[in-house]
């Protein structure tokens, strides 16, 4: 398989959130097709997407290794800059300081007003997002998940690589049945459920203390247990959907490879 084919495979898997599979595909491609800046970038991106300190270190190592071989590759420079912009200045001051030299180099290669500069700006959109933008993105996803759960009873047949359809099918498995009705209700009205849990926990703790049952109470926080169970179930659903869709993508590439051979 060529480096281009491996890069396409990495892109599809990355869009599904199958980051471990992206790293495996990029590593396999680098071993089979030889050094390639695009695959090196995908390797770094698949580490950075995990949002974990150890993975961030691996991402930085991947970018630096790539830039030693291709010092003017815009993809590597921009991805490395994004990692530096998202770094915590207290925990990783050296990484944060690398941002400005990377900006300067990118400005040389992609002058303001050039098509390359526009691509750089678009690529850095995520790195420039603040707290409220992240919060709105999470709320949008929560609304989409709520809509999917409201239509849980009718899951249309779809292509196995369609992540949204795969999530709906996975939700039907993990959240279907009458015994999961409370969890489905929590997901459909997630914000209201959290507000209600907060109010009930405060009321419960206050009553236990004022009635003299306890001098200090944390029992009210048990109202959050159903919410945590619901979130764990939804996380399981997302993971199952990603694995199924990613496996379908991998199977397609395996068939293509066998046909070429």
């Amino acid at each position: 398989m060529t480096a281009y084919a491996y890069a396409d495979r990495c892109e599809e898997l990355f869009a599904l959130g199958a980051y471990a599979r992206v790293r495996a595909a990029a590593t396999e491609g680098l071993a089979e097709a030889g050094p390639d800046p695009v695959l090196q970038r995908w390797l770094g991106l698949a580490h950075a997407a995990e949002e974990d300190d150890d993975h961030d270190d691996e991402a930085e190592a991947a970018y630096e290794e790539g830039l030693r071989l291709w010092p003017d590759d815009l993809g590597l420079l921009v991805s490395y800059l994004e990692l530096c912009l998202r770094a915590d200045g207290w925990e990783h001051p050296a990484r944060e300081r690398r941002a400005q030299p990377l900006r300067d180099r990118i400005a040389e290669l992609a002058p303001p007003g050039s098509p390359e500069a526009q691509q750089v700006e678009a690529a850095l959109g995520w790195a420039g997002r603040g707290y409220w933008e992240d919060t709105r993105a999470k709320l949008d996803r929560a609304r989409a998940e709520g809509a999917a759960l409201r239509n849980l009873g009718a899951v249309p047949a779809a292509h196995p690589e369609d992540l949204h359809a795969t999530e709906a099918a996975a939700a039907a498995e993990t959240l279907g049945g009458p015994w999961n009705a409370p969890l489905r209700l929590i997901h459909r009205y997630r914000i209201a459920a959290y507000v209600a849990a907060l109010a009930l926990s405060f009321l419960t703790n206050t009553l236990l203390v004022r009635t003299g049952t306890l001098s200090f109470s944390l029992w009210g926080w048990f109202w959050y247990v159903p919410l945590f169970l619901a979130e764990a179930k939804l996380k399981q659903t997302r993971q199952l959907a990603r694995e199924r869709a990613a496996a379908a993508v991998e199977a397609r590439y395996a068939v293509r490879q066998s046909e070429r051979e």
Side-chain angles (χ1 to χ4, degrees):
M1 192 183 297
T2 66
Y4 291 109
Y6 274 109
D8 289 342
R9 179 175 158 192
C10 288
E11 184 175 4
E12 291 190 53
L13 293 171
F14 190 88
L16 296 173
Y19 305 128
R21 289 178 181 265
V22 174
R23 293 192 294 274
T27 301
E28 182 182 342
L30 289 168
E32 181 179 331
D36 181 80
V38 177
L39 291 178
Q40 195 71 33
R41 176 173 175 264
W42 279 119
L43 181 60
L45 285 171
H47 277 296
E50 299 286 3
E51 297 184 352
D52 174 84
D53 282 346
D54 291 338
H55 279 287
D56 284 349
D57 292 341
E58 293 292 336
E60 186 170 31
Y63 294 146
E64 290 182 342
E65 181 181 353
L67 288 171
R68 279 195 293 271
L69 297 174
W70 305 279
D72 294 337
D73 186 85
L74 267 177
L76 287 167
L77 287 166
V78 170
S79 297
Y80 195 3
L81 175 58
E82 182 180 14
L83 179 70
C84 294
L85 291 174
R86 300 289 284 188
D88 187 321
W90 289 99
E91 295 183 6
H92 305 283
R95 187 175 295 161
E96 186 184 45
R97 286 194 298 270
R98 293 188 188 99
Q100 191 56 48
L102 288 168
R103 279 187 183 277
D104 295 340
R105 185 57 184 149
I106 290 170
E108 293 176 10
L109 297 171
S114 67
E116 292 81 3
Q118 295 176 3
Q119 293 173 2
V120 168
E121 185 178 351
L124 290 175
W126 170 259
R129 280 169 44 152
Y131 171 79
W132 291 113
E133 287 85 359
D134 286 344
T135 300
R136 283 196 292 269
K138 291 176 182 177
L139 286 174
D140 289 342
R141 179 172 180 84
R143 293 190 189 100
E145 289 169 345
L149 289 169
R150 283 191 289 274
N151 298 321
L152 195 60
V155 180
H159 196 281
E161 295 178 19
D162 185 334
L163 184 58
H164 294 297
T166 307
E167 284 180 344
E173 291 183 26
T174 59
L175 291 169
W179 54 90
N180 281 320
L183 300 184
R184 293 199 299 273
L185 187 64
I186 288 172
H187 283 305
R188 288 176 185 174
Y189 307 102
R190 188 178 299 179
I191 295 175
Y194 274 94
V195 172
L198 178 62
L200 287 169
S201 63
F202 177 78
L203 180 62
T204 301
N205 288 331
T206 301
L207 286 174
L208 288 174
V209 172
R210 289 189 176 180
T211 57
T213 306
L214 295 170
S215 59
F216 177 74
S217 173
L218 292 176
W219 287 101
W221 296 111
F222 275 92
W223 287 104
Y224 277 91
V225 171
L227 275 67
F228 295 150
L229 291 175
E231 293 294 344
K233 203 75 169 179
L234 188 58
K235 183 178 180 180
Q236 177 187 350
T237 297
R238 292 172 185 156
Q239 183 62 31
L240 179 60
R242 282 196 298 266
E243 285 299 317
R244 287 180 175 176
V249 171
E250 296 273 35
R252 171 162 52 82
Y253 277 96
V255 169
R256 287 182 182 177
Q257 182 66 12
S258 64
E259 289 175 348
R260 291 191 184 97
E261 294 174 353

